[in-house]
Amino acid sequence: MASFKSYLVRRIVLALLVLYFVITITFILSHVVPSDPAELYVGPKATKEQREKAIIELGLDKPLYVQYINYIFGLLKGDLGTSLRAHTPVLHDILVYLPATLEIVVIANIIALFIGILFGTFSALKKDHLEDHLIRFISVGGVSIPSFWFALLTQLIFFGILGILPLDGRLSTETQLFNPIKTITGFYTVDSLLNGNFPAFLDCLRHLILPATVLATYPIGLVTRMVRSMMVEVLNENYIRFAKANGFRENLIYYKYALRNALTPALMALGLSFAYSITGAFLVEVIFSWPGLGTYTVNAILENDYPSILGVTIVGTIFYVAINLLLDILQAYIDPRVRLQ
Amino acid sequence: MKKIISGENEITLRLLAKDKLALFSLAIIVLFILMAIFAPYIAPYPEEGEGKPVPEQRFIPPSIEHPFGTDYLGRDILSRIIFGARISLSVGIFVVICAIFIGTPLGLIAGYYGGKVDEILMRATDVFLSFPSLLFAIALVASLGPGLFNAMLSLAITWWPWYTRLARAQAVSIKEQPFILASKAMGVSGIRIVFKHILPNSLTPIIVQGTMDMSSAILAEAGLSFIGLGAQAPSPEWGLMVSTGRIYLLNYWWFPVFPGLAIFLIALAFNLFGDCLRDILDPKTRKFRGITF
C-alpha cells in the first residue's frame, strides 16, 4: 500500500499546484492586465472622489506584492472579489447559480454514461459491421456538433414544430405560481420530491429533457469511443476465449467479464466529460435561458464584469481539479498498474 | 497490377484511397478550403458576404436567388457562410500551428534529454492540462478584451500541452533506435539529433492530432464568438451568425440554422478524416482491405 500512498501524495501536490497556478494567473488577469480597475468599478460618470475611494476600497494603492498576498488570503477565506455590476460578493452570486448548472451536468453525464457504455459495447460486439459504422458515425458526430446550434435545432423541432416540450427555462410560470418549489438543495428535481410536490417534479423533468440531452451528446461520443476500443481489446484476450471455449453463455461473458474490464477507461472518459460539461453547459444554458453559471458568466462578459468571470474560472477549476483527483485516486485504487507509473 | 510499395507513406496513401469515409471527409475539407480561397468569386453576392446591408430584402426564405435565405439586414446567408469559411479555417490553422510550434519542440527536448529537464517540462504540462482550457480561454479573452485575434491567441495558449505529451512519447520511443545511437556516437550535437532526426520521424501522430484539433479549435472559437468574446459584427463568422440569428429561430429558422450547419460539417469532416487517418496509421487497427502489394 506504500506505493498507493506516495501516488496519493503526488496527485494531491499536483492538484494544489494547479490551483495555485490558476489563482496566480487570475490575479495577473484581474490586477495587472486591466488598465484601470477602479474606473471599471465606479463607472464612467463617477467623480474624482468616488474614484479615489474605490482605489482604497479595492486596495489598489498598495504595492503589487501586497495586493497579491491579500488576494490569496481573501481567496482562502472564500472572498472571490466584488461584482462590478451588482457590487455583491462574487462567491454569493456563484453559489446561487451553481446548483442549476450542476443539475443538468449531473443528469447529462448519467445519460452519457448509460448510452455510451451501451453503444460502445454493442459497437465492439458488431465490429466492422453496419451497426459499428453507424455508431461510429454517431459518436464522431456527437463530438463535432456545436452544442449551441444543436440546442437551437431541438428547440425548433420539439417546441416550434411538434410543440411537445417547453422552449426554455427551468420551470413553467404556472408551476412557479401555483405549485412553487421550496428550495432545500437547489436541485429542483430533488427539492420537488422532498416537498412531495409531484406536478412540479414532472414540470422539472419536462424542462430538463432538452438541455440535458444536448449537453450529453459530446460525452456520449467520448464514452462510446473509449468503451468500444477497450472492449475490442478485451474481447481478444485469452480469458475471454477460454470462457467461450468452455461454453459459458455469451451474454454472461460479454456483460459480466468483458465489460467489467473495459470500464476503467469509461471512468476516465467520465472525468473528461464531466469537466467538459461544466464549460459545455455555458453555451447550452444561454440557449435554454437556464439560470446557471453559464448564463451568469455570459451576462458578466457582456457587461465587462471581470471579477465575476474570474470567480467562475476559479470555482470551475476547483470542480475540475477535484473531480479529476477523485477519479484518478479511484482508478489507482482499482488498477494497481496506474500507481506505479 | 502488382507493384512494389516503396515505403510507409505509400501504404498510407493507398489505404487512404480505399477508405470511402476518409475520401468523403477529405472532399468536404477541400471544398471548404476552395470556398475560403475563392470566396469573392464563388459567393453569389460578395458585397453582402462582406457585410453590406440590403434593407429591402430582409428575411427572404430559402429560394433560388437565395438558397439559404437572407438575414435581418437582408444579406444573402450563403454568401456570408462562404466568406465565413475564411475566418473559421484561418482560426483553426492558426491555433493548431501555434500549438504544434510551441508544444512539439518542448516535448521532443523533454523526451530526448530526460532527467530534470523532462521532469520540469512534464510537470508544467500536467498543470496546464489539469484545468478546463475553454474556461481559461474565456477568462483570458475577458481580460484582454473580446475580439477574434485575442480569442485565437487564448485558444493557442491553452492548446500546446497536448503536443508536448505526444512529442515526448515519440522522442522516448525513437531515441534508443540504432540510427540515433549511431549519430550520437559520431558526435552529432543533441539539438541537431532532436530536430534533424527525431522530429521528422515523429510527425505522423502529431499530424493526426492536428487534424482532429482543427475541428476542436473551430468549435471552440465558434463557441467563443457565440457568447460574444470572439469575432464582432459585421464579421461573417459562423458562431456570431448563429448568435445573432438565435432570437429569430421560431420565425425565420434559416437565419441561425445554416451557419451552424457549416460549423457542424467542417468539424465533422476534420474529425472523421483524423479518425480514419489514425486507424490507417496505427498498425493495431490497420486493415488491409484487398490491397495489391
Side-chain angles (χ1 to χ4, degrees):
Chain A
M1 237 28 210
S3 68
F4 183 62
K5 258 188 201 150
S6 76
Y7 176 81
L8 207 67
V9 171
R10 262 200 334 235
R11 269 314 269 106
I12 291 174
V13 168
L14 177 69
L16 291 177
L17 216 66
V18 170
L19 282 183
Y20 175 73
F21 179 77
V22 169
I23 287 167
T24 306
I25 294 273
T26 52
F27 171 79
I28 295 171
L29 290 179
S30 62
H31 287 70
V32 183
V33 175
S35 49
D36 199 348
E39 177 85 33
L40 282 169
Y41 188 74
V42 291
K45 284 184 193 151
T47 59
K48 214 172 169 199
E49 288 76 41
Q50 280 172 318
R51 242 192 110 248
E52 272 155 15
K53 213 178 129 216
I55 289 180
I56 294 170
E57 210 179 303
L58 295 173
L60 294 171
D61 51 336
K62 300 192 181 76
L64 211 55
Y65 73 92
V66 177
Q67 289 184 41
Y68 181 60
I69 293 169
N70 286 343
Y71 182 73
I72 289 185
F73 275 104
L75 285 179
L76 289 178
K77 283 184 286 184
D79 176 13
L80 288 175
T82 309
S83 159
L84 295 184
R85 296 167 288 171
H87 291 229
T88 47
V90 171
L91 183 68
H92 168 262
D93 294 352
I94 289 179
L95 290 180
V96 170
Y97 285 94
L98 187 63
T101 297
L102 285 183
E103 191 167 30
I104 45 168
V105 167
V106 168
I107 291 181
N109 276 286
I110 292 173
I111 297 176
L113 196 64
F114 201 71
I115 297 184
I117 289 177
L118 204 74
F119 274 12
T121 319
F122 189 65
S123 197
L125 292 177
K126 300 269 177 191
K127 190 167 175 281
D128 293 329
H129 285 84
L130 183 67
E131 293 93 332
D132 184 28
H133 293 306
L134 204 69
I135 289 178
R136 180 192 193 178
F137 202 80
I138 295 175
S139 62
V140 177
V143 297
S144 309
I145 200 164
S147 59
F148 54 93
W149 179 67
F150 188 42
L152 286 174
L153 285 188
T154 60
Q155 280 187 331
L156 186 63
I157 295 168
F158 293 98
F159 175 80
I161 299 172
L162 300 174
I164 47 174
L165 285 173
L167 179 67
D168 56 12
R170 226 178 150 189
L171 280 179
S172 58
T173 327
E174 292 84 58
T175 308
Q176 280 169 357
L177 286 176
F178 304 117
N179 288 315
I181 295 176
K182 223 169 68 213
T183 310
I184 301 168
T185 58
F187 287 75
Y188 281 7
T189 40
V190 178
D191 287 353
S192 58
L193 284 181
L194 288 178
N195 292 170
N197 187 346
F198 206 65
F201 176 70
L202 285 182
D203 193 44
C204 276
L205 283 188
R206 272 164 52 80
H207 282 83
L208 264 169
I209 293 175
L210 292 185
T213 313
V214 170
L215 194 56
T217 44
Y218 185 92
I220 285 176
L222 217 61
V223 176
T224 304
R225 292 168 72 174
M226 281 228 180
V227 171
R228 180 191 176 275
S229 66
M230 202 60 200
M231 228 10 211
V232 167
E233 242 170 69
V234 171
L235 287 176
N236 281 326
E237 296 279 348
N238 285 333
Y239 64 86
I240 296 292
R241 292 191 192 161
F242 177 79
K244 272 188 189 166
N246 274 293
F248 280 41
R249 269 188 301 122
E250 293 225 322
N251 283 342
L252 186 75
I253 298 172
Y254 295 148
Y255 295 103
K256 186 155 180 212
Y257 300 115
L259 189 58
R260 180 181 288 179
N261 284 291
L263 278 187
T264 334
L267 207 65
M268 264 167 64
L270 190 71
L272 270 173
S273 79
F274 206 97
Y276 159 83
S277 321
I278 294 176
T279 32
F282 282 25
L283 300 173
V284 178
E285 279 179 14
V286 173
I287 303 270
F288 288 105
S289 311
W290 193 262
L293 275 190
T295 309
Y296 173 75
T297 313
V298 172
N299 287 336
I301 288 168
L302 292 178
E303 293 176 45
N304 223 340
D305 183 3
Y306 67 87
S308 307
I309 303 169
L310 297 175
V312 173
T313 311
I314 292 176
V315 171
T317 308
I318 291 175
F319 261 91
Y320 186 100
V321 169
I323 290 163
N324 278 306
L325 182 66
L326 209 72
L327 284 171
D328 277 357
I329 291 172
L330 201 64
Q331 207 193 359
Y333 191 75
I334 297 170
D335 186 348
R337 281 170 300 182
V338 177
R339 299 171 218 161
L340 298 173
Q341 273 173 14
Chain B
M1 193 190 83
K2 299 236 171 191
K3 194 188 160 208
I4 293 163
I5 289 180
S6 55
E8 193 73 357
N9 287 340
E10 199 172 336
I11 300 181
T12 306
L13 282 180
R14 288 186 157 222
L15 283 166
L16 210 56
K18 290 258 169 187
D19 192 334
K20 288 201 189 74
L21 201 58
L23 287 183
F24 170 71
S25 43
L26 187 62
I28 297 182
I29 295 172
V30 171
L31 193 78
F32 271 98
I33 293 177
L34 290 179
M35 238 165 70
I37 296 173
F38 299 108
Y41 309 102
I42 299 175
Y45 307 92
E47 287 174 343
E48 294 169 32
E50 278 170 343
K52 183 178 158 248
V54 190
E56 60 276 13
Q57 51 173 35
R58 299 171 70 211
F59 299 120
I60 297 175
S63 59
I64 297 167
E65 294 90 58
H66 301 283
F68 291 171
T70 62
D71 68 5
Y72 72 127
L73 292 176
R75 299 171 295 196
D76 179 51
I77 291 177
L78 175 65
S79 303
R80 293 193 46 85
I81 289 178
I82 291 174
F83 274 88
R86 296 185 148 185
I87 302 173
S88 290
L89 285 174
S90 1
V91 169
I93 292 169
F94 177 86
V95 171
V96 170
I97 300 252
C98 277
I100 290 179
F101 269 76
I102 305 172
T104 313
L106 290 178
L108 291 177
I109 289 169
Y112 180 75
Y113 288 102
K116 274 221 174 87
V117 184
D118 185 25
E119 187 69 20
I120 292 169
L121 282 173
M122 289 333 281
R123 287 300 82 80
T125 317
D126 280 347
V127 170
F128 266 94
L129 286 176
S130 306
F131 56 79
S133 55
L134 192 61
L135 201 57
F136 186 64
I138 288 176
L140 213 59
V141 191
S143 299
L144 295 175
L148 192 62
F149 183 72
N150 286 346
M152 276 158 59
L153 203 66
S154 46
L155 286 177
I157 290 174
T158 52
W159 229 282
W160 61 268
W162 295 103
Y163 293 92
T164 310
R165 271 204 180 166
L166 209 60
R168 177 182 177 273
Q170 285 294 307
V172 166
S173 74
I174 292 172
K175 75 174 178 187
E176 298 297 335
Q177 292 204 8
F179 73 99
I180 299 294
L181 296 178
S183 344
K184 233 184 191 169
M186 284 165 71
V188 179
S189 75
I191 286 294
R192 203 177 152 79
I193 291 181
V194 167
F195 290 102
K196 279 267 169 178
H197 301 296
I198 295 185
L199 177 65
N201 284 293
S202 41
L203 279 180
T204 318
I206 290 171
I207 290 170
V208 173
Q209 184 67 37
T211 315
M212 296 179 122
D213 273 355
M214 279 292 290
S215 146
S216 324
I218 288 173
L219 282 173
E221 187 271 335
L224 285 179
S225 292
F226 179 80
I227 53 177
L229 285 176
Q232 304 291 317
S235 161
E237 201 281 331
W238 297 334
L240 180 65
M241 283 167 78
V242 178
S243 170
T244 6
R246 174 169 104 77
I247 46 171
Y248 304 105
L249 174 74
L250 295 175
N251 300 318
Y252 313 107
W253 58 269
W254 55 89
F255 183 9
V257 166
F258 286 115
L261 186 66
I263 307 174
F264 178 44
L265 275 182
I266 189 74
L268 185 68
F270 274 116
N271 260 334
L272 278 177
F273 189 64
D275 209 39
C276 294
L277 260 187
R278 192 177 47 188
D279 269 5
I280 289 167
L281 294 170
D282 181 358
K284 264 198 269 176
T285 53
R286 179 181 281 176
K287 284 163 279 184
F288 289 90
R289 299 188 196 109
I291 291 205
T292 47
F293 285 97

